[in-house]
Amino acid sequence: MTSYQSELGGGTNVAEELAESQRSISIAEFFEKNKHMLGFDSGARGLVTAVKEAVDNALDATEEAGILPDIYVEITEEGDYYRLVVEDNGPGITKEQLPKVFGKLLYGSRFHVREQKRGQQGIGISAAVLYSQLTSGKPAMITSRTEGDSAAQYFELIIDTDTNEPEISVDTTTTWERPHGTRIELEMEANMRARQQLHDYIKHTAVVNPHARIEFEEPRGRLKFERVTDQLPAETEEIRPHPHGIELGSLIKLLDETDSYSVSGFVQEEFTRVGQKTADSITSAFRDRHFGRELSWRPPERSQIEAAVTDAVANKSKAATATFAQRVGTSTTERDRVAHHELVDIVANAAEHVKEESGATFATTVRKKTVAAVWEAVAAGCESDLARLVDEATTSRKGEPTVGGMARRIATKLEGVERHRLTRDTVATHVDRAAEQTEERDDEPFGETARENVIDAAWSISRTVPDDPPSVRETAADRDTASELLEAMRETDILAPPTDCLAPITNELVEEGLRKEFDADFYAATTRDAEVHGGDPFIVEAGIAYGGDVASEGRIDVLRFANRVPLVYQRGACATSDVIQGINWRNYGLDQPGGSGMPNGSAVVMVHVASTNVPFTSESKDAIANVPEIEDEIELALRSAARDLKGYLKKRRTLEQRQRKRNVIADILPTMADKLADMTERESLAIEDSLARIMNNVLVERTVENDGVRLVVTNHTDRVAELALTDIVSVDPGEIEDATVVEMDGEWFVKWDPSVQSGERAAIEYDVNGNASFDITVDGIEPEKLSINA
Amino acid sequence: MSTNTEPDTDADDSDARERLLDLAADFYDQFAGGEVPSMRIPTRTKSNIEYDEDTEVWVYGDRHSTRSATTVTGAKKLLKAIYVIDFLAQQLDEDRSSTLRELYYLSESWDHETAQFSNQDESNQLIEDLEIVSDVTREDFHMRPEESGATLMGPLHLREQTRRGERAIHCQEDVGEGGYQIPNNPDTIEFLDHDADFILCVETGGMRDRLVENGFDEEHNTIVVHLKGQPARATRRITRRLHDELGLPVVVFTDGDPWSYRIFASVAYGSIKSAHLSEHLATPDARFIGIQPTDIVEYDLPTDPLSDSDVNALENELEDPRFQSSYWTEQIERQLDINKKAEQQALASRGLDFVTDTYLPTRLEAMDVL
């Protein structure tokens, strides 16, 4: 999941190499070599990337300042080159900030920020600046005006390709109609072959940024997207990195920069979700990796220990030596098992004890000798101890020779290990080797599971050493140590990161955005709760627009977004596409040939993944990687929106059936009525009531008799009908019980909002003088369920 | 619109017309009252026929279904019904008649496409519906079935009212080998005189011809009625009248298979489709001669094995209320047991005269008819 690109995003490998080891090659050379991964591999692609970087930048700048974005993008042909202009209404930019924002390649501050930002998507506008400079030889032209300034500043900026340092070559004032904002103008070698992608990018940006107003002009077209909401995206909290989500380079950088001395303090200070307890767990795991653990063994007979002690001690009084030996013997044999560092403690305690009791001093040298002597005795017993362990850890089918052989071989390997201190990896190596030898020489199988069990058993008798873990400085200085810390952090169980660092679009605005750009019959949107992948929280949102003017030919349209930025390339490689293709859309009423793959029909499906670190499949950040946690959420979000779609389609089908029935019945009934009147030689029949009853409709009828008007609502449905009737009458009807009358321009609006129970009727009556005309509208019920005879 | 009242078979044309128009008026009133037009008809299935103690025939039970315009199919059916009512009323008014098939084709000319019939079963069924709701028989609507009626042969003198005047006919002396053709509406016949002792209904044409060739009708004073498979209404009607009016016993001679038992059942008990007319068409006293499953065994007749559909039909008959007598239960179970069926003509395996010389006389004696 951690792609090369996210390493780039983490600001480690590429950036570091660039900053340190590769200082010797020019930035231009580096760019040339890596332009495919920076999104500038062709002129067409380069233009899309430049627009994308500049627009993302502009949106971020305005939102950060709490300003509703108003963005203007223009592409014009300038001889052999294309000129790109991007303007925003952001807070503007000062001369001091200028090089930071537009200048230094890969020095954007965002690489280290755990916050959902568009800027993370690319490598920043600086790459576009460099691309334009390298292809056209022209500087970037930047106009900026901060609020309240009387004039705008105009800069021309070039990047020194030898030093990677930006230089401001021109710095003057100029006039600019925007009260505040930034305008960047780049000229570059490009072409418009990716016109469709450009349009898609702009249009899709408008969909997920309903709070932005975006205008786009290119030689052959013009797009304009109005703002539909004044609601800015929620401000995101920057969070400290989560221990599970950080990479080695970033960790080293943090270690270099921290004020903490101890690793424990460092992890608590610099990471989210790490308190004292978690820090202790991390430190302990770090120790195990850095120092290894010490294997502990069953102590030998007490007499053996005492003898060893007595042998080791010279030049001390017999009594004192005896007490010392006794003391060491007792303390050691009290324990089930003893590790080397525990022995050191035992000897030290015994020495202190003897000193208090008899005044005899057992100094460092003696103590060391004692420890060595006793440890030799302890270690001598390790083979039989190991035999027991191996026997317990393996199946009963392993014969005595196998068990004994394994124990002997492991013990032999431990001989060279000082203090029997080793990491789990080393234990594993020894066990594996011993197992191989057993298989080779004794011709006895010793498989993976057995080995694992032996390793586990050995590790279970190991003891964490009391040594102080390396300090922050020591850790930072050594890559391997830092790597051990990173491993320790990843190994430790830690709470998922907080999610207030994310700003989803929210389902209302997803729907609003779709509504704005697609004239469909139906919209659905879902915002899922935050989840975590690696150490990064993420939120998935999905939306569907269906029917109406959405193209119905061929496949559905898929809109993909990461942190509000449209993804226009590599659709097939994206997790989003995989998930969509894996869903059985027939269940949800869409046509899907073969029951899998991209469905057909007049639908637009959008998926937005917001995260502090969106995992991509490749350097160019065009496709979301197949991270299971993210795929699951995408599927759930899509299914939720799809369920709404299904409900809508079902209802629509019912209404269509109803309409068809109504058409047939409305055709048959009058014929029947005419025929019957004819046969029975009676007057012709009014059949609206029967019709409404058949259709289970709400019937609105008007009768006019001698200037008396009566409006009757009959509810033949099986539900309460809450109607809003407006009857526009050409003459004054006077006051009406249950209804309100409003006069407008010589017409009287009779408003009546009856609530009619199933099977009941309601009526109003009023008088008109002479000839009156009526115009009735009924709201509050689907037209398919309404019959009007008024 | 009840169905169990005595059909007024003497209803004259204007009476029939009146009843049809009453139906139309009912629909009209439903419309005028803001209701949904509908028509109630007894469910015409096996499970909804019951034995009527008084008339000794099987009639429809209490279960009804409603044809209502609330559904598209219901509305279409009602529209068709109204067109047919209009047509029948007109036909009666003009004293014309037509066949069921003609009605089906005639509907093609109706202005409203939805009113046209999509197949003849539909139009036939609608006529039966109208018979039920109006208590007027098809014959009184002047509707005829397509096929020519069956024939009878025997010592019977009758007078038939034809469109070309009255004809007195003796059904042995005045007819050819083919016998007397039963008219579509046997109620136009008046029986004048007869010499018959009983009526023998025969399923197949081959057997009927054998009986006539062997002079069985003359020898035994028998009126031989040819059923021609499942008997037409006219055939069943005249059988009933011969039995009622001349007091003659009726026996039915068919193949020995489940389908033939149904032929007997419709003669004796009435058919499911026209149970509303059972009283009019069925002859409850009719008795079954054979071929019985026991005959198959006794005479060692050439047989065919029962097919799956035969077995199915027999099992259905075991559940058919009309076959719930000990005689039929025994026969049907016997047949299932031997798993064989035989045709009437299988009797020829014992010689062409076997049926007239031996089989029938033996059976008739056993049944106390001879």
Side-chain angles (χ1 to χ4, degrees), chain A residues 569-601:
Chain A
Y569 286 99
Q570 291 195 29
R571 193 176 84 172
C574 192
T576 308
S577 306
D578 293 343
V579 173
I580 292 176
Q581 288 170 15
I583 291 175
N584 183 350
W585 287 95
R586 288 172 174 178
N587 280 343
Y588 300 105
L590 286 184
D591 175 34
Q592 191 180 29
S596 71
M598 218 29 108
N600 290 340

Tab-separated table of all heavy atoms in Angstrom, chain A residues 569-601:
chain	number	residue	atom	x	y	z
A	569	TYR	N	-6.749	10.331	-15.021
A	569	TYR	CA	-6.057	9.282	-15.775
A	569	TYR	C	-6.153	7.938	-15.058
A	569	TYR	O	-6.509	7.875	-13.877
A	569	TYR	CB	-4.580	9.657	-15.952
A	569	TYR	CG	-4.370	10.745	-16.966
A	569	TYR	CD1	-4.193	12.069	-16.572
A	569	TYR	CD2	-4.350	10.458	-18.327
A	569	TYR	CE1	-3.991	13.074	-17.501
A	569	TYR	CE2	-4.154	11.459	-19.261
A	569	TYR	CZ	-3.969	12.772	-18.847
A	569	TYR	OH	-3.795	13.748	-19.769
A	570	GLN	N	-5.778	6.886	-15.774
A	570	GLN	CA	-5.648	5.531	-15.212
A	570	GLN	C	-6.900	5.034	-14.511
A	570	GLN	O	-6.825	4.495	-13.407
A	570	GLN	CB	-4.480	5.482	-14.218
A	570	GLN	CG	-3.159	5.615	-14.894
A	570	GLN	CD	-2.043	5.207	-13.952
A	570	GLN	OE1	-2.225	4.377	-13.078
A	570	GLN	NE2	-0.893	5.811	-14.138
A	571	ARG	N	-8.043	5.230	-15.130
A	571	ARG	CA	-9.268	4.812	-14.482
A	571	ARG	C	-9.281	3.314	-14.204
A	571	ARG	O	-9.713	2.856	-13.164
A	571	ARG	CB	-10.461	5.190	-15.349
A	571	ARG	CG	-11.757	5.072	-14.586
A	571	ARG	CD	-12.913	5.535	-15.383
A	571	ARG	NE	-13.375	4.440	-16.231
A	571	ARG	CZ	-14.476	4.488	-16.932
A	571	ARG	NH1	-15.215	5.568	-16.912
A	571	ARG	NH2	-14.844	3.477	-17.664
A	572	GLY	N	-8.772	2.557	-15.171
A	572	GLY	CA	-8.831	1.108	-15.046
A	572	GLY	C	-8.024	0.568	-13.881
A	572	GLY	O	-8.338	-0.491	-13.343
A	573	ALA	N	-7.007	1.299	-13.466
A	573	ALA	CA	-6.123	0.788	-12.418
A	573	ALA	C	-6.614	1.172	-11.031
A	573	ALA	O	-5.996	0.827	-10.031
A	573	ALA	CB	-4.716	1.333	-12.639
A	574	CYS	N	-7.714	1.896	-10.983
A	574	CYS	CA	-8.126	2.481	-9.707
A	574	CYS	C	-8.985	1.504	-8.886
A	574	CYS	O	-9.816	0.781	-9.431
A	574	CYS	CB	-8.936	3.738	-9.991
A	574	CYS	SG	-9.212	4.740	-8.539
A	575	ALA	N	-8.774	1.516	-7.602
A	575	ALA	CA	-9.579	0.673	-6.698
A	575	ALA	C	-11.069	0.968	-6.897
A	575	ALA	O	-11.908	0.071	-6.855
A	575	ALA	CB	-9.180	0.929	-5.258
A	576	THR	N	-11.391	2.227	-7.147
A	576	THR	CA	-12.777	2.634	-7.357
A	576	THR	C	-13.426	1.819	-8.479
A	576	THR	O	-14.518	1.279	-8.321
A	576	THR	CB	-12.809	4.122	-7.748
A	576	THR	OG1	-12.069	4.840	-6.789
A	576	THR	CG2	-14.205	4.634	-7.816
A	577	SER	N	-12.707	1.724	-9.615
A	577	SER	CA	-13.264	0.989	-10.745
A	577	SER	C	-13.426	-0.482	-10.400
A	577	SER	O	-14.420	-1.122	-10.765
A	577	SER	CB	-12.348	1.118	-11.963
A	577	SER	OG	-12.104	2.468	-12.228
A	578	ASP	N	-12.418	-1.017	-9.698
A	578	ASP	CA	-12.507	-2.440	-9.330
A	578	ASP	C	-13.739	-2.699	-8.485
A	578	ASP	O	-14.447	-3.684	-8.682
A	578	ASP	CB	-11.258	-2.858	-8.537
A	578	ASP	CG	-10.015	-2.816	-9.413
A	578	ASP	OD1	-10.182	-2.785	-10.646
A	578	ASP	OD2	-8.903	-2.797	-8.860
A	579	VAL	N	-13.977	-1.804	-7.533
A	579	VAL	CA	-15.121	-2.006	-6.642
A	579	VAL	C	-16.427	-1.901	-7.438
A	579	VAL	O	-17.311	-2.750	-7.317
A	579	VAL	CB	-15.114	-0.988	-5.486
A	579	VAL	CG1	-16.404	-1.101	-4.687
A	579	VAL	CG2	-13.907	-1.215	-4.585
A	580	ILE	N	-16.526	-0.887	-8.284
A	580	ILE	CA	-17.759	-0.710	-9.074
A	580	ILE	C	-18.018	-1.949	-9.923
A	580	ILE	O	-19.139	-2.452	-10.008
A	580	ILE	CB	-17.662	0.538	-9.977
A	580	ILE	CG1	-17.642	1.799	-9.112
A	580	ILE	CG2	-18.817	0.589	-10.965
A	580	ILE	CD1	-17.447	3.072	-9.889
A	581	GLN	N	-16.948	-2.472	-10.517
A	581	GLN	CA	-17.123	-3.623	-11.404
A	581	GLN	C	-17.482	-4.885	-10.640
A	581	GLN	O	-18.057	-5.806	-11.189
A	581	GLN	CB	-15.850	-3.848	-12.213
A	581	GLN	CG	-15.683	-2.761	-13.269
A	581	GLN	CD	-14.330	-2.799	-13.937
A	581	GLN	OE1	-13.603	-3.775	-13.822
A	581	GLN	NE2	-13.983	-1.723	-14.602
A	582	GLY	N	-17.146	-4.912	-9.362
A	582	GLY	CA	-17.421	-6.107	-8.568
A	582	GLY	C	-18.834	-6.146	-7.999
A	582	GLY	O	-19.263	-7.161	-7.485
A	583	ILE	N	-19.525	-5.019	-8.105
A	583	ILE	CA	-20.875	-4.976	-7.547
A	583	ILE	C	-21.869	-5.482	-8.590
A	583	ILE	O	-21.727	-5.185	-9.774
A	583	ILE	CB	-21.234	-3.528	-7.128
A	583	ILE	CG1	-20.390	-3.119	-5.933
A	583	ILE	CG2	-22.717	-3.385	-6.824
A	583	ILE	CD1	-20.570	-1.683	-5.506
A	584	ASN	N	-22.867	-6.244	-8.148
A	584	ASN	CA	-23.914	-6.673	-9.071
A	584	ASN	C	-24.958	-5.563	-9.177
A	584	ASN	O	-25.838	-5.438	-8.342
A	584	ASN	CB	-24.559	-7.966	-8.574
A	584	ASN	CG	-25.608	-8.471	-9.545
A	584	ASN	OD1	-25.977	-7.769	-10.495
A	584	ASN	ND2	-26.095	-9.667	-9.312
A	585	TRP	N	-24.809	-4.764	-10.203
A	585	TRP	CA	-25.673	-3.584	-10.336
A	585	TRP	C	-27.081	-3.941	-10.798
A	585	TRP	O	-27.976	-3.113	-10.740
A	585	TRP	CB	-25.039	-2.583	-11.305
A	585	TRP	CG	-23.867	-1.899	-10.689
A	585	TRP	CD1	-22.556	-2.250	-10.795
A	585	TRP	CD2	-23.896	-0.757	-9.820
A	585	TRP	NE1	-21.777	-1.411	-10.048
A	585	TRP	CE2	-22.568	-0.474	-9.444
A	585	TRP	CE3	-24.925	0.052	-9.321
A	585	TRP	CZ2	-22.235	0.572	-8.597
A	585	TRP	CZ3	-24.587	1.106	-8.479
A	585	TRP	CH2	-23.250	1.355	-8.126
A	586	ARG	N	-27.226	-5.157	-11.290
A	586	ARG	CA	-28.591	-5.548	-11.692
A	586	ARG	C	-29.518	-5.516	-10.488
A	586	ARG	O	-30.698	-5.233	-10.611
A	586	ARG	CB	-28.571	-6.949	-12.279
A	586	ARG	CG	-27.921	-6.985	-13.647
A	586	ARG	CD	-27.759	-8.420	-14.067
A	586	ARG	NE	-27.269	-8.490	-15.432
A	586	ARG	CZ	-27.002	-9.640	-16.028
A	586	ARG	NH1	-27.190	-10.772	-15.386
A	586	ARG	NH2	-26.554	-9.653	-17.256
A	587	ASN	N	-28.929	-5.842	-9.335
A	587	ASN	CA	-29.706	-5.780	-8.096
A	587	ASN	C	-30.262	-4.394	-7.853
A	587	ASN	O	-31.252	-4.223	-7.156
A	587	ASN	CB	-28.813	-6.114	-6.895
A	587	ASN	CG	-28.615	-7.587	-6.744
A	587	ASN	OD1	-29.383	-8.345	-7.324
A	587	ASN	ND2	-27.618	-7.983	-5.990
A	588	TYR	N	-29.546	-3.406	-8.371
A	588	TYR	CA	-29.945	-2.038	-8.079
A	588	TYR	C	-30.632	-1.385	-9.279
A	588	TYR	O	-30.783	-0.171	-9.314
A	588	TYR	CB	-28.722	-1.223	-7.657
A	588	TYR	CG	-28.059	-1.800	-6.423
A	588	TYR	CD1	-26.865	-2.499	-6.499
A	588	TYR	CD2	-28.667	-1.677	-5.183
A	588	TYR	CE1	-26.279	-3.041	-5.368
A	588	TYR	CE2	-28.094	-2.221	-4.053
A	588	TYR	CZ	-26.902	-2.901	-4.149
A	588	TYR	OH	-26.331	-3.442	-3.027
A	589	GLY	N	-30.978	-2.217	-10.254
A	589	GLY	CA	-31.786	-1.683	-11.353
A	589	GLY	C	-30.995	-1.111	-12.508
A	589	GLY	O	-31.559	-0.477	-13.381
A	590	LEU	N	-29.658	-1.331	-12.510
A	590	LEU	CA	-28.895	-0.867	-13.666
A	590	LEU	C	-28.583	-2.064	-14.558
A	590	LEU	O	-28.489	-3.185	-14.094
A	590	LEU	CB	-27.579	-0.213	-13.226
A	590	LEU	CG	-27.660	1.170	-12.611
A	590	LEU	CD1	-26.261	1.695	-12.343
A	590	LEU	CD2	-28.389	2.137	-13.520
A	591	ASP	N	-28.414	-1.760	-15.850
A	591	ASP	CA	-28.104	-2.809	-16.806
A	591	ASP	C	-26.619	-3.149	-16.668
A	591	ASP	O	-25.768	-2.267	-16.681
A	591	ASP	CB	-28.419	-2.280	-18.212
A	591	ASP	CG	-27.999	-3.268	-19.280
A	591	ASP	OD1	-28.082	-4.472	-19.025
A	591	ASP	OD2	-27.593	-2.818	-20.372
A	592	GLN	N	-26.319	-4.431	-16.525
A	592	GLN	CA	-24.913	-4.835	-16.400
A	592	GLN	C	-24.729	-6.131	-17.179
A	592	GLN	O	-25.012	-7.207	-16.677
A	592	GLN	CB	-24.568	-5.035	-14.929
A	592	GLN	CG	-23.088	-5.204	-14.650
A	592	GLN	CD	-22.835	-5.394	-13.178
A	592	GLN	OE1	-23.686	-5.919	-12.457
A	592	GLN	NE2	-21.680	-4.965	-12.712
A	593	PRO	N	-24.235	-6.025	-18.415
A	593	PRO	CA	-24.112	-7.241	-19.231
A	593	PRO	C	-23.238	-8.263	-18.511
A	593	PRO	O	-22.142	-7.946	-18.063
A	593	PRO	CB	-23.424	-6.738	-20.499
A	593	PRO	CG	-23.656	-5.260	-20.508
A	593	PRO	CD	-23.731	-4.839	-19.083
A	594	GLY	N	-23.742	-9.463	-18.394
A	594	GLY	CA	-22.963	-10.522	-17.769
A	594	GLY	C	-23.001	-10.504	-16.253
A	594	GLY	O	-22.431	-11.373	-15.619
A	595	GLY	N	-23.627	-9.494	-15.662
A	595	GLY	CA	-23.740	-9.473	-14.205
A	595	GLY	C	-22.502	-9.005	-13.480
A	595	GLY	O	-22.438	-9.035	-12.258
A	596	SER	N	-21.479	-8.571	-14.212
A	596	SER	CA	-20.341	-7.941	-13.536
A	596	SER	C	-19.693	-6.989	-14.535
A	596	SER	O	-20.053	-6.951	-15.692
A	596	SER	CB	-19.343	-8.997	-13.066
A	596	SER	OG	-18.683	-9.540	-14.177
A	597	GLY	N	-18.743	-6.214	-14.068
A	597	GLY	CA	-18.112	-5.231	-14.929
A	597	GLY	C	-18.814	-3.901	-14.823
A	597	GLY	O	-19.728	-3.720	-14.011
A	598	MET	N	-18.359	-2.954	-15.652
A	598	MET	CA	-18.921	-1.608	-15.597
A	598	MET	C	-20.366	-1.648	-16.080
A	598	MET	O	-20.649	-2.169	-17.153
A	598	MET	CB	-18.072	-0.745	-16.523
A	598	MET	CG	-17.778	0.677	-16.087
A	598	MET	SD	-17.708	1.062	-14.345
A	598	MET	CE	-15.983	1.326	-14.110
A	599	PRO	N	-21.312	-1.168	-15.284
A	599	PRO	CA	-22.705	-1.207	-15.731
A	599	PRO	C	-22.982	-0.199	-16.857
A	599	PRO	O	-22.200	0.727	-17.051
A	599	PRO	CB	-23.491	-0.840	-14.473
A	599	PRO	CG	-22.538	-0.124	-13.603
A	599	PRO	CD	-21.167	-0.637	-13.940
A	600	ASN	N	-24.103	-0.402	-17.545
A	600	ASN	CA	-24.512	0.513	-18.610
A	600	ASN	C	-25.652	1.394	-18.128
A	600	ASN	O	-26.292	1.098	-17.134
A	600	ASN	CB	-25.004	-0.281	-19.821
A	600	ASN	CG	-23.865	-1.008	-20.515
A	600	ASN	OD1	-22.701	-0.644	-20.348
A	600	ASN	ND2	-24.215	-2.020	-21.282
A	601	GLY	N	-25.894	2.424	-18.890
A	601	GLY	CA	-27.100	3.200	-18.612
A	601	GLY	C	-26.823	4.648	-18.280
A	601	GLY	O	-25.676	5.082	-18.203
